[in-house]
Amino acid sequence: MIKTYEKIKNIRGMTYVELIVVLSIMSAMATVVIFNYGTFQAKIEIKNLASDIALEIVEVQKLSLSGKLPQAATGPTWKPSYGVYFSSTTTTKFISFVDLNNSNTCSSAGCAPPSYSIGGEVLDIINITKGNTIPASGLGVSGSGCPATVTNLSIVFKRPNSTPIITSSTSLVGCAVSYFTVNILSPKGPTAGIRIYPSGRVQVN
């Protein structure tokens, strides 16, 4: 009995100091994990948004190639022509449209930012949520002699071509385009971008 008692006596639990140290370490680790999870989640969301924008561009490309005809009168010489329009003055939305008058941009009343409205050439208004934005400097061009940022971008696909017709109110004279960019920003800091190449390839970065 005496030996058993001595064994039990020698098996000690944690002291208060040890317990406080362990809890402090666990609290610090939990704080780091929670903080990093928020940043990780923001990165995932901004990448998903970039993918959604890229898919919208690919969708209008498919509409033009499929030969889809809108209900509005188009005339005998009209070719299926669809596009997306981005404006630096509207940071939380963009539009998809049908180019009814072959102007290579959205030109009806509902196309004017920031008060887009469905009707005329405007097919859909895509809202950017969760505080994510296309910042004022988010539209740009990469290439020799090209402006770093532009005021707006119209990306139009016209049957039978899969290559885009890209126009902007910012002058692109003398610009040897490598690719156009649409950059998006999360309120938590992470960024993502979409590149549209003259060949028609759309890439998410």
Side-chain angles (χ1 to χ4, degrees):
M1 291 294 295
I2 295 174
K3 289 183 178 180
T4 303
Y5 174 76
E6 287 178 350
K7 287 181 180 179
I8 295 173
K9 186 178 179 181
N10 289 331
I11 300 173
R12 299 187 306 154
M14 298 177 67
T15 65
Y16 285 116
V17 174
E18 291 171 334
L19 181 61
I20 290 170
V21 169
V22 170
L23 290 175
S24 298
I25 292 172
M26 291 180 66
S27 297
M29 290 176 65
T31 301
V32 171
V33 169
I34 291 171
F35 177 80
N36 287 337
Y37 176 77
T39 303
F40 173 76
Q41 187 67 23
K43 288 180 179 179
I44 295 297
E45 289 177 353
I46 204 73
K47 282 290 185 182
N48 287 340
L49 174 58
S51 296
D52 289 344
I53 294 173
L55 285 173
E56 192 67 32
I57 297 171
V58 172
E59 181 63 24
V60 295
Q61 184 183 40
K62 288 180 179 178
L63 284 175
S64 66
L65 293 176
S66 69
K68 182 177 175 62
L69 298 174
Q71 292 181 348
T74 56
T77 61
W78 187 81
K79 295 180 179 179
S81 181
Y82 295 84
V84 291
Y85 176 78
F86 300 91
S87 172
S88 62
T89 60
T90 309
T91 61
T92 58
K93 61 182 70 175
F94 64 98
I95 58 175
S96 65
F97 66 94
V98 53
D99 184 16
L100 294 175
N101 59 2
N102 290 316
S103 63
N104 297 329
T105 188
C106 190
S107 55
S108 65
C111 303
S115 55
Y116 297 128
S117 61
I118 294 178
E121 291 190 334
V122 179
L123 297 175
D124 195 13
I125 302 170
I126 299 93
N127 292 298
I128 299 172
T129 59
K130 298 184 179 180
N132 300 312
T133 59
I134 300 174
S137 59
L139 306 176
V141 190
S142 178
S144 176
C146 299
T149 59
V150 295
T151 303
N152 49 52
L153 280 178
S154 286
I155 304 166
V156 174
F157 295 91
K158 192 185 303 281
R159 192 181 185 188
N161 299 316
S162 61
T163 56
I165 300 169
I166 303 180
T167 59
S168 174
S169 60
T170 303
S171 175
L172 299 177
V173 175
C175 168
V177 176
S178 296
Y179 54 82
F180 294 87
T181 57
V182 178
N183 296 311
I184 49 179
L185 173 66
S186 166
K188 295 182 180 179
T191 61
I194 303 96
R195 291 182 179 179
I196 305 97
Y197 291 86
S199 64
R201 181 163 66 96
V202 180
Q203 175 182 318
V204 175
N205 293 316

